[in-house]
Amino acid sequence: MGNLRVSSMLLLSLMAAASANNFHQDVEITWGGGHARILGQGNLLRLTMDKTAGGAGFKSNRDYLFGRFNMQMKLIAGNSAGTVTTFYLSSEGPSHDEIDLEFLGNKSGSPYTLHTNVFTQGQGGREEGFHLWFDPTKHFHTYSIVWNPKIIIILVDSIPIRVFNNEESIGVPYPNNQRMKVYASLWDADDWATRGGRVKTDWSKAPFVAYYRNFVAKSDWEMQGLSARGKKLLSWVRKRCRIYYYCNDERHGRGNRHPPPPECKA
């Protein structure tokens, strides 16, 4: 009887925790009007893009200085060329900080590209790109940003794919003093999103639809760094899935006018 009571209490607490993550309470639709819709009891949000609006977006009501941010997403199926679906953190103003996850669309049968970047004081240029090891259009998957004073970790289904350490000691800017909100959007970027803009949006396939659910923001970020297993998984992702790394960009080559960032030298 005691175990049953404990199990019931645990179930109730989990249900309460789940119901607390409600898009009606947690976010504000920022653009796109009816192309952004909160569905059900507030546990699902749909973004739609067509020629009449070109997309939609929302942001969290709260801002944060550090935390762990989880979002489950289901991306556009079929021909999504030219579209960009996003989940990111950002402060405001021209000298803003930002931690980006951008999912670049593709023609049917081609892999999605997950493009990541870190901005500090309005300066980015620290991109890493990946081809996901699964089809992100068939099911929901969890995308996470861990941001604390020491490290930024980007995870997919709890697998770390990118780490950005605080290396201010060697002159690397790090976002650690501006509060940021959580943003998400779906928009038309066919001038660059798919194969550098060579593949354009096919509006005959519209409307393009992406779904979000289970948004959780925790001010206790949990992870100070990676465990031994986490480091192995990160290494696996880098070898198998990473398609672009800014430190390896030939524009930073010897004799070039654009020297590599200091963390690349280190």
Side-chain angles (χ1 to χ4, degrees):
M1 191 69 179
N3 289 338
L4 180 60
R5 186 178 296 111
V6 170
S7 299
S8 299
M9 292 175 64
L10 178 60
L11 179 61
L12 288 172
S13 66
L14 289 173
M15 291 173 62
S19 64
N21 304 316
N22 188 307
F23 282 117
H24 286 299
Q25 301 169 4
D26 297 338
V27 307
E28 170 193 355
I29 306 300
T30 52
W31 65 284
H35 289 76
R37 295 196 62 181
I38 299 172
L39 305 174
Q41 299 300 310
N43 58 344
L44 184 67
L45 195 153
R46 181 183 68 202
L47 297 182
T48 305
M49 186 181 99
D50 57 31
K51 266 196 167 181
T52 65
F58 64 93
K59 67 178 179 180
S60 63
N61 291 323
R62 289 187 56 193
D63 57 14
Y64 305 87
L65 186 62
F66 310 128
R68 177 171 180 143
F69 309 90
N70 299 335
M71 186 78 79
Q72 290 191 331
M73 299 171 60
K74 186 177 180 182
L75 303 184
I76 302 163
N79 185 347
S80 58
T83 69
V84 176
T85 309
T86 71
F87 163 52
Y88 61 103
L89 304 178
S90 183
S91 60
E92 297 182 346
S95 298
H96 71 291
D97 294 341
E98 188 168 314
I99 304 170
D100 277 342
L101 280 76
E102 297 180 320
F103 299 85
L104 311 185
N106 58 83
K107 294 192 76 170
S108 299
S110 301
Y112 257 85
T113 296
L114 170 53
H115 178 269
T116 69
N117 202 356
V118 176
F119 285 78
T120 308
Q121 294 293 314
Q123 300 296 316
R126 289 177 162 86
E127 298 96 340
E128 290 190 34
F130 306 85
H131 280 163
L132 298 172
W133 55 94
F134 54 84
D135 184 345
T137 71
K138 289 187 175 181
H139 306 285
F140 282 92
H141 292 269
T142 303
Y143 305 93
S144 306
I145 300 171
V146 173
W147 169 45
N148 65 51
K150 296 182 179 181
I151 195 171
I152 294 167
I153 307 172
I154 296 175
L155 306 100
V156 176
D157 291 334
S158 297
I159 295 174
I161 66 166
R162 178 171 184 178
V163 166
F164 187 81
N165 291 296
N166 184 340
E167 297 186 279
E168 290 179 304
S169 61
I170 61 170
V172 181
Y174 187 83
N176 59 10
N177 57 23
Q178 296 193 71
R179 301 183 68 86
M180 295 198 271
K181 289 190 174 184
V182 178
Y183 289 80
S185 59
L186 167 61
W187 53 287
D188 178 30
D190 75 354
D191 58 334
W192 67 271
T194 306
R195 298 185 62 193
R198 294 190 295 275
V199 181
K200 301 298 184 180
T201 304
D202 183 354
W203 292 106
S204 70
K205 306 298 183 183
F208 303 99
V209 182
Y211 293 92
Y212 295 77
R213 72 179 187 188
N214 291 342
F215 165 48
V216 179
K218 299 180 180 179
S219 57
D220 53 329
W221 52 82
E222 300 175 0
M223 299 177 68
Q224 292 282 350
L226 293 181
S227 64
R229 181 174 182 274
K231 291 177 181 177
K232 288 183 179 179
L233 290 170
L234 178 65
S235 178
W236 179 85
V237 170
R238 285 175 171 171
K239 290 177 181 177
R240 301 290 183 90
C241 305
R242 189 168 67 180
I243 60 171
Y244 177 81
Y245 177 40
Y246 66 99
C247 283
N248 294 338
D249 195 310
E250 61 184 14
R251 290 175 295 178
H252 299 316
R254 184 176 298 174
N256 198 290
R257 294 182 180 179
H258 303 280
E263 69 269 28
C264 298
K265 298 177 183 179

